[in-house]
Amino acid sequence: MCGIVCAVSDKPVLPLLIEGLKKLEYRGYDSAGVALYDPQPDGDQFARTRSVGRIAKLESALAKKQDSLSSAGIAHTRWATHGKPTQFNTHPHVSSGKVALVHNGIIENYQGLRDELIEAGYVFSSETDTEVMVHEIHRQLSLGHDLLEAVQSTVKKLRGAYAIGVMNADEPRRIIGARSGSPMVVGIGDNGGYIASDMSALLSVTHDFYVLEDGDIVDIQDGKITLTDINLKPVKRAVFTSQQSDEAAKLGEYRHYMLKEIHEQHQALADTLEGRISGTHVLEGICGADDQALFSQLEAIQIIACGTSYYAGLVAKHWFEKYGMPCQVEIASEFRSRKHVVPNNCLVVTLSQSGETIDTLGALKVAMEAGFAHSLSVCNVPESSLVRESDLVLMTRAGPEIGVASTKAFTTQLAALLLLVCAVCRHKNLSEEQQAAIVTELRELPALAAKVVSRASEFEALAEQFSDKQHALFLGRGSHYPIAMEGALKLKEISYIHAEAYAAGELKHGPLALVDENMPVVAVAPNNSLLEKLKVNIEAVKARGGKMLVFADEEADIENDKNCQIIKITAVDNIISPIIFIIPLQLLAYYVALIKGTDVDKPRNLAKSVTVE
Ligand code: G6P
């Protein structure tokens, strides 16, 4: 899972390639490299620079080349799958000084191809699956094929997923790209043609794109862009004009993107709701012109997602079922690999910040093949694969989320899901009065979120007690159990403290054995019908010498004492309280990570968008 950006222009391309890689760093940040067409005194045609670590390191390594006039190049940021993040494994890979290639994806049958190529005399310099492609293209060129034919015959031999950019030393004004299973867009510029894993990488040079489909090949030569299918038959793809702005993704005054994104939540929530509620109801058509006709026939909902998005789905299950709509939620990687009994008139709802998570895309495909009736995506990236592949969409409008730990994408997913619950369940058990009550709560949501965020320094003060701990437990009940799960995920992914969430009622069935003074226990305690039961669980922890940190509703009536610290959160209606209660947990995790000195926005071993299975 990696990011690629390639350019052929009549201007120097190095600055664009570096900027593009920075935008794609969310896809992986183990190592990065660039190859420019730039004949060297020693006879090499490519100037290749590769470095292990972040793009900033590559940038320093390229400092001497800043003035390179090279007008063609390919670049890559890597999230290692085959082979450790070492210089040798870093892309671009080169064959015999003649062909250079970058790749996002995984080649499943690389071992067989590698054996064949070794037999044919090729010497491998990396442990990657990618390197087989560059040697195979070289072999095809030596057989007399043109570069386009060489790429075509190579990709025809591949099994797996690829988005590649290829340069040939003999054709300095040409780059070829091909994709299957990994995303690729082609930027249409006044001064050239470009390839990237997503549009954000190229917004500084163009807003016009072709979005390639599986099997497509693009040939960019002397400013001319030609698209073909895998059999080299010309194909037409509509020009897509991106509305994304290049500015929204800047850090500004904040120390980290995660903090910025937590602080943006009230605005993001307001944007999610804008134009979608009116008076006492959610408007018709928020998911597409005919959504009400479809929703009125629904008999079930199947939610599919990964990571934080999956936890949003678990909250939504409580909401859908409260108002009479059967709802199942499953992790996408599990959903895609088993047989299904397909319920009648079931809407598949995929949840995804990026819209590019390969397991979620794969699960949607499996669902449609299995015969699920309709699909809807709740997604944050309008131009993403998931949005393009779904019948209906409900955009979350959180704006670019750069921090790997998802924050505003989660709360806006929840707000969007609550809109969806109204749009769907008013055909079931949701009465007009109940819908009006939810709409009233939703209107208050942005201000309530802002109020909780403004108390950041209080949550910061709690962080110290976690900084020397190895483990933590998070407890919740009902629709706040997924909030405990998301709180635990935030803590573990950015502070590296092992954190587990339990449905509070399960405490006595095992995890209570772990509780002692070294195991902080965090509970989420809204003022709802489950509060009395949760209080019993809190007492059980205290009785074993455990230390509790309870985020409680103002009206929850839980006593502060030396083993139980209560942090009162605004009194809030039960339906929207999961959206409010996650905010202190996000801030707590952030401040613990600050004390621990981790790389908050780019935690080790993770990536923002996971495009491998
Ligand atoms: C990665 C990210 C998470 C995200 C998950 C699902 O693991 O680090 O923040 O929740 O992928 O991503 P999606 O884009 O599909 O919501």
Side-chain angles (χ1 to χ4, degrees):
M1 179 180 64
C2 307
I4 67 172
V5 52
C6 312
V8 198
S9 171
D10 56 12
K11 297 211 165 78
V13 293
L14 183 58
L16 165 67
L17 295 178
I18 296 294
E19 281 316 302
L21 285 184
K22 285 183 184 164
K23 296 278 166 48
L24 295 176
E25 214 175 2
Y26 74 89
R27 304 177 67 85
Y29 39 78
D30 292 338
S31 52
V34 171
L36 297 169
Y37 178 77
D38 192 3
Q40 304 291 296
D42 62 5
D44 260 5
Q45 302 297 299
F46 301 120
R48 179 168 57 149
T49 309
R50 299 182 290 172
S51 70
V52 176
R54 303 288 155 79
I55 311 295
K57 242 176 118 196
L58 176 70
E59 203 173 8
S60 318
L62 281 162
K64 288 204 199 95
K65 296 208 172 77
Q66 287 303 345
D67 300 330
S68 163
L69 296 177
S70 177
S71 56
I74 60 179
H76 187 271
T77 181
R78 179 164 187 250
W79 187 78
T81 56
H82 293 66
K84 290 191 175 140
T86 60
Q87 178 107 358
F88 286 129
N89 289 331
T90 304
H91 302 215
H93 291 287
V94 173
S95 184
S96 312
K98 196 170 156 61
V99 184
L101 175 144
V102 286
H103 167 223
N104 166 36
I106 289 181
I107 304 307
E108 288 170 351
N109 58 336
Y110 80 100
Q111 196 59 57
L113 294 168
R114 191 174 167 115
D115 295 345
E116 271 177 36
L117 286 157
I118 289 173
E119 186 119 321
Y122 284 93
V123 177
F124 280 73
S125 61
S126 79
E127 303 150 305
T128 62
D129 52 335
T130 298
E131 200 180 344
V132 295
M133 288 186 272
V134 72
H135 293 315
E136 182 60 32
I137 292 170
H138 181 270
R139 177 159 77 161
Q140 297 294 330
L141 284 173
S142 334
L143 294 174
H145 292 303
D146 154 75
L147 182 62
L148 183 61
E149 293 161 354
V151 169
Q152 179 216 20
S153 41
T154 299
V155 295
K156 279 194 160 178
K157 294 184 172 194
L158 305 177
R159 211 177 57 233
Y162 60 82
I164 55 172
V166 187
M167 279 166 64
N168 173 12
D170 296 339
E171 299 177 87
R173 305 282 310 142
R174 188 179 194 191
I175 285 180
I176 298 217
R179 75 151 278 191
S180 179
S182 298
M184 177 177 275
V185 297
V186 177
I188 311 161
D190 293 337
N191 303 307
Y194 312 90
I195 294 171
S197 298
D198 79 22
M199 297 179 200
S200 70
L202 299 175
L203 290 176
S204 62
V205 283
T206 184
H207 277 66
D208 291 335
F209 295 93
Y210 297 118
V211 179
L212 296 196
E213 294 184 10
D214 278 352
D216 284 357
I217 299 179
V218 56
D219 185 353
I220 305 174
Q221 201 170 3
D222 287 323
K224 192 165 166 262
I225 297 172
T226 311
L227 303 180
T228 65
D229 67 11
I230 203 162
N231 297 314
L232 303 187
K233 280 222 206 83
V235 289
K236 275 201 161 52
R237 303 282 170 241
V239 176
F240 183 93
T241 301
S242 173
Q243 305 300 327
Q244 288 182 60
S245 120
D246 204 17
E247 287 303 301
K250 302 223 164 109
L251 189 56
E253 71 200 67
Y254 291 95
R255 187 162 167 194
H256 292 103
Y257 279 106
M258 183 179 178
L259 187 63
K260 173 178 185 249
E261 288 154 8
I262 291 172
H263 278 262
E264 283 171 350
Q265 283 179 114
H266 70 284
Q267 186 55 52
L269 287 165
D271 292 345
T272 304
L273 301 173
E274 194 191 314
R276 289 169 168 169
I277 48 184
S278 169
T280 55
H281 67 283
V282 170
L283 290 172
E284 294 187 3
I286 60 165
C287 303
D290 296 326
D291 63 359
Q292 288 307 301
L294 192 153
F295 292 162
S296 66
Q297 288 164 19
L298 289 183
E299 292 173 59
I301 302 275
Q302 172 68 59
I303 294 178
I304 306 170
C306 301
T308 290
S309 299
Y310 169 68
Y311 297 142
L314 290 178
V315 175
K317 175 182 170 74
H318 285 268
W319 293 337
F320 276 116
E321 299 216 331
K322 179 171 183 181
Y323 300 114
M325 177 58 78
C327 176
Q328 297 298 324
V329 189
E330 191 163 350
I331 292 169
S333 54
E334 291 296 316
F335 184 95
R336 67 182 298 192
S337 52
R338 68 177 183 87
K339 290 245 173 292
H340 297 276
V341 176
V342 181
N344 282 340
N345 279 323
C346 182
L347 176 70
V348 171
V349 178
T350 54
L351 307 179
S352 177
Q353 188 286 128
S354 62
E356 300 295 350
T357 304
I358 200 91
D359 281 324
T360 310
L361 284 163
L364 174 62
K365 200 163 169 223
V366 165
M368 290 303 107
E369 282 166 7
F372 281 83
H374 316 280
S375 64
L376 182 152
S377 172
V378 177
C379 188
N380 193 38
V381 180
E383 293 113 7
S384 62
S385 307
L386 203 56
V387 166
R388 292 197 303 274
E389 286 166 27
S390 301
D391 302 335
L392 298 172
V393 289
L394 181 56
M395 300 311 305
T396 46
R397 302 180 186 155
E401 192 182 64
I402 311 289
V404 164
S406 190
T407 52
K408 63 176 181 171
F410 180 68
T411 44
T412 54
Q413 271 173 351
L414 288 175
L417 282 163
L418 203 41
L419 293 173
L420 184 64
V421 166
C422 291
V424 166
C425 294
R426 58 190 169 207
H427 302 286
K428 290 280 181 189
N429 300 349
L430 181 75
S431 68
E432 279 187 19
E433 295 69 33
Q434 286 168 322
Q435 182 173 190
I438 293 175
V439 168
T440 304
E441 294 302 322
L442 283 172
R443 281 190 213 286
E444 289 171 10
L445 183 58
L448 284 168
K451 195 167 159 194
V452 179
V453 171
S454 74
R455 293 172 55 194
S457 59
E458 284 178 53
F459 310 131
E460 182 174 9
L462 305 170
E464 198 62 53
Q465 47 190 292
F466 287 80
S467 59
D468 62 340
K469 298 292 187 294
Q470 305 290 320
H471 310 276
L473 279 180
F474 283 66
L475 304 178
R477 277 180 177 265
S479 59
H480 293 75
Y481 169 38
I483 296 306
M485 291 164 137
E486 172 61 5
L489 178 66
K490 290 293 84 106
L491 189 67
K492 79 179 100 173
E493 63 186 342
I494 60 168
S495 77
Y496 314 152
I497 292 174
H498 169 225
E500 291 299 330
Y502 273 88
E506 278 294 288
L507 189 65
K508 54 191 176 293
H509 297 294
L512 198 52
L514 297 171
V515 169
D516 62 15
E517 67 281 9
N518 293 316
M519 169 78 87
V521 182
V522 178
V524 186
N527 186 20
N528 61 21
S529 59
L530 300 171
L531 183 62
E532 290 312 312
K533 288 191 195 306
L534 187 68
K535 284 181 185 172
V536 175
N537 307 134
I538 292 171
E539 288 308 317
V541 171
K542 283 164 59 181
R544 270 81 186 174
K547 290 235 175 337
M548 291 283 327
L549 193 61
V550 183
F551 292 90
D553 188 286
E554 264 168 11
E555 291 163 12
D557 188 28
I558 308 179
E559 292 300 311
N560 232 335
D561 65 39
K562 79 175 188 356
N563 285 329
C564 183
Q565 196 173 351
I566 311 294
I567 300 94
K568 293 207 163 155
I569 304 300
T570 328
V572 59
D573 185 84
N574 193 37
I575 194 91
I576 61 161
S577 80
I579 312 177
I580 293 301
F581 271 82
I582 190 57
I583 296 173
L585 301 186
Q586 295 169 343
L587 284 161
L588 177 67
Y590 174 75
Y591 288 115
V592 175
L594 269 196
I595 297 172
K596 298 204 75 170
T598 60
D599 191 342
V600 172
D601 285 332
K602 296 191 178 67
R604 67 185 180 198
N605 307 339
L606 302 181
K608 182 79 185 150
S609 177
V610 181
T611 54
V612 292
E613 288 179 25

